[in-house]
Amino acid sequence: QVQLVESGGGLVQAGGSLRLSCAASGSIFSINAMGWFRQAPGKGREFLAAINWSGGGTYYVDSAKGRFTISRDNAKNTVYLQMNSLKPEDTAQYYCAVRSTPTGAVGSWGQGTQVTVSS
């Protein structure tokens, strides 16, 4: 079992930046990939980006390319999501998750961190 704790969310003005963190603990050896998702009010959960845990290869959906960057620090067992040029439509609860591959099945979820972008 892997436990995930997200942090770094908050209130930011449009055009601003935030860096989300996701700290993993537990069965770290079992992690193949990690991903970031978000869920806006009244909408489904949206996949944004993923990273291969060992090799560091990254994958982004089109809506995340250019403004979002996923990275990891294996020494700290932490994955990050750097978000730049934020827009009000980026307002959502952001979640990290363990994945079997960058686009594979999701194992563990974190509890989420709220990002609110004001116009």
Side-chain angles (χ1 to χ4, degrees):
Q1 278 279 39
V2 177
Q3 293 78 44
L4 304 171
V5 178
E6 299 97 332
S7 61
L11 175 64
V12 63
Q13 288 189 331
S17 298
L18 280 175
R19 189 177 78 157
L20 307 183
S21 299
C22 173
S25 61
S27 301
I28 304 297
F29 62 89
S30 67
I31 298 176
N32 292 320
M34 297 279 289
W36 282 98
F37 297 73
R38 68 183 179 187
Q39 187 166 17
K43 296 188 176 182
R45 195 163 293 190
E46 175 189 17
F47 170 57
L48 297 171
I51 188 165
N52 181 282
W53 189 249
S54 57
T58 57
Y59 179 90
Y60 298 90
V61 297
D62 287 345
S63 60
K65 289 179 182 176
R67 295 191 299 126
F68 294 177
T69 303
I70 189 170
S71 62
R72 91 250 189 263
D73 184 335
N74 291 81
K76 295 182 178 180
N77 296 328
T78 299
V79 174
Y80 304 97
L81 186 68
Q82 176 69 41
M83 304 186 295
N84 299 326
S85 302
L86 284 163
K87 306 173 183 179
E89 51 264 43
D90 293 317
T91 295
Q93 186 84 348
Y94 283 71
Y95 300 88
C96 66
V98 174
R99 305 196 78 166
S100 58
T101 67
T103 57
V106 171
S108 303
W109 290 98
Q111 84 289 349
T113 186
Q114 178 67 35
V115 171
T116 302
V117 184
S118 63
S119 57

